Amino acid sequence: MSFRFELHQTDPQTGARRGTFQTPHGPVQTPGFMPVGTQGTVKGLTIDQVKSTGAHMILGNTYHLGLRPGPEIVRALGGLHAMFAWDGPILTDSGGFQVFSLKDISKINEQSVVFRSHIDGAIVDLTPEYSIEIQEALGSDVAMVLDHVVALPAPDGEVQDAMERSIRWAKRCLEHASRADQAKFAIVQGGLNTELRQQCARELATMDFEGFAVGGLSVGETPDEMYRITAATTPELPVERPRYLMGVGRPIDLLESITRGIDLFDCVMPTRNGRNGFAFTENGHVKIRNAVHKTDTSPLDPTCDCFTCTRHSRGYLRHLFIAGEMLGPSLLSLHNLHYYQRVMAGARTAIEAGTLTEYIAEKKRLWGMQ
Ligand SMILES: [Zn+2]
């Protein structure tokens, strides 16, 4: 089997897990964070810079890459690994989240979701099978099933209908898939209703997926609601498979979710916030455009050994942002990704040492959260 999840340790206090997910392109240490490369690039960074942050697996986007350049062009260019020039594992999402966020221009039926391309207005008929075909052409190591995501809050009936359709679509994805070198991950839906979430998780767990994701969260609900749903869902998932919380979140959300049994994360926050001049540091948030940094010769984060922090001052970084220079967003994205990886590496070490609770308490103190 090309894929194997080795569970090394479970924290007796919290239930947090330390594992290794083996893929054809190498291991992913968990808990782990995946930088998002929506369009075949982690925005603003070269692949060597991404690698320097300590990332093990990166994420590509089926919706965007399926529309442009299109699956056949990606295949002709040697697949996503060749395009990215990344020899490590890649996960692709199914496009479900993006399509359903275009709710004015998408239409769902049992067979598929039909939407207009945001690029040229062309009608696209995205079936679960076609989503898998696109991901097989992209050649990712992990393909996500196409799911039906509803905007929250929504009536229970609507959430249940979407959840049940997501299960039927997951089965269709599994049956259609033809690449043995590509793992399939199911996605648990069910909104903010714990019973629907648990029912969905139990039904998906009966199918032969290499991993399971919790989807449809981080869409405007409070962090406590997200933690509650995650905590209710993970006990229903197979212990011996990796669990991925999609699209989450802030460093504190990652740590809180690790204690609720999550192994993998992805989020645009480190790069998107970095582009906007917002840095995550060991001592909390830094808004680099603020005048207070004007003549500051100290590094963005004195405890960080990334390129940005070892070479440049806050004053210089602020200048780049004020002058609208493209290097500023790149340098902050690089630092933020580095910081996320550092928080995750610290969590892995803490789980191994049995000190995760203390590690999280210390981070909260440093981040000014308690
Ligand atoms: Zn740094």
Side-chain angles (χ1 to χ4, degrees):
M1 188 176 172
S2 317
F3 298 90
R4 196 172 65 250
F5 182 64
E6 297 156 5
L7 184 58
H8 307 306
Q9 215 163 330
T10 303
D11 182 40
Q13 273 178 292
T14 64
R17 290 140 55 94
R18 171 76 182 92
T20 305
F21 180 51
Q22 300 286 357
T23 81
H25 284 89
V28 182
Q29 300 303 332
T30 69
F33 179 81
M34 299 179 278
V36 178
T38 305
Q39 308 258 23
T41 158
V42 177
K43 285 189 198 300
L45 301 182
T46 67
I47 202 66
D48 288 348
Q49 288 174 317
V50 174
K51 198 166 211 168
S52 79
T53 67
H56 301 143
M57 175 148 78
I58 58 179
L59 185 141
N61 193 293
T62 296
Y63 170 81
H64 289 281
L65 294 165
L67 292 179
R68 181 176 57 195
E72 292 317 314
I73 291 178
V74 175
R75 200 199 298 267
L77 292 173
L80 261 194
H81 289 90
M83 273 179 64
F84 266 118
W86 171 262
D87 57 6
I90 298 176
L91 178 147
T92 44
D93 74 359
S94 62
F97 183 81
Q98 282 75 26
V99 170
F100 288 104
S101 61
L102 309 166
K103 56 178 180 296
D104 299 335
I105 50 170
S106 71
K107 217 171 166 226
I108 178 100
N109 59 65
E110 182 57 26
Q111 192 53 31
S112 66
V113 53
V114 180
F115 64 96
R116 276 189 187 280
S117 159
H118 75 283
I119 297 166
D120 58 7
I123 300 278
V124 182
D125 188 2
L126 185 64
T127 60
E129 290 81 7
Y130 184 45
S131 172
I132 290 295
E133 285 170 21
I134 296 173
Q135 295 181 77
E136 291 193 345
L138 300 178
S140 54
D141 299 272
V142 177
M144 302 303 300
V145 300
L146 184 66
D147 54 341
H148 183 175
V149 186
V150 286
L152 300 176
D156 272 352
E158 204 178 304
V159 173
Q160 179 165 0
D161 179 58
M163 180 276 275
E164 288 171 352
R165 181 165 299 102
S166 294
I167 295 172
R168 292 191 294 273
W169 283 10
K171 190 159 184 278
R172 281 168 59 183
C173 285
L174 200 56
E175 283 167 359
H176 192 71
S178 67
R179 281 185 77 149
D181 61 348
Q182 187 176 59
K184 270 69 63 182
F185 278 22
I187 307 176
V188 177
Q189 290 292 343
L192 299 179
N193 182 318
T194 49
E195 281 167 27
L196 292 180
R197 286 277 175 183
Q198 289 173 337
Q199 184 191 336
C200 187
R202 279 195 294 270
E203 290 194 31
L204 291 171
T206 64
M207 300 182 216
D208 194 18
F209 287 102
E210 285 94 345
F212 294 85
V214 181
L217 290 176
S218 202
V219 290
E221 78 282 2
T222 65
D224 282 341
E225 285 176 309
M226 180 174 79
Y227 303 153
R228 175 176 64 81
I229 292 299
T230 305
T233 305
T234 51
E236 305 295 336
L237 295 172
V239 171
E240 69 282 5
R241 295 282 186 273
R243 303 152 177 178
Y244 160 34
L245 181 57
M246 303 180 79
V248 175
R250 302 169 300 160
I252 187 63
D253 297 324
L254 271 52
L255 294 178
E256 291 288 353
S257 301
I258 287 170
T259 67
R260 289 160 176 84
I262 295 292
D263 306 303
L264 284 169
F265 300 89
D266 80 286
C267 193
V268 295
M269 203 175 272
T271 42
R272 178 179 289 166
N273 286 13
R275 290 197 299 283
N276 291 321
F278 185 104
F280 296 94
T281 80
E282 189 72 337
N283 294 300
H285 306 150
V286 172
K287 290 178 180 163
I288 200 65
R289 289 171 178 272
N290 285 352
V292 67
H293 307 303
K294 208 170 193 172
T295 57
D296 192 342
T297 56
S298 62
L300 184 55
D301 183 341
T303 69
C304 179
D305 63 356
C306 84
F307 176 87
T308 304
C309 294
T310 51
R311 298 291 281 276
H312 296 300
S313 66
R314 289 186 176 202
Y316 176 63
L317 295 171
R318 176 178 185 273
H319 159 72
L320 292 176
F321 272 89
I322 299 296
E325 283 294 332
M326 61 199 282
L327 184 59
S330 287
L331 289 174
L332 253 64
S333 298
L334 177 64
H335 163 78
N336 282 348
L337 283 179
H338 197 272
Y339 189 65
Y340 266 59
Q341 295 299 344
R342 179 177 155 193
V343 170
M344 298 305 271
R348 291 194 293 269
T349 305
I351 295 170
E352 288 165 10
T355 56
L356 184 66
T357 305
E358 292 82 352
Y359 176 75
I360 295 175
E362 172 68 358
K363 284 285 184 267
K364 281 185 175 171
R365 190 186 65 76
L366 287 165
W367 296 335
M369 303 186 86
Q370 60 179 205

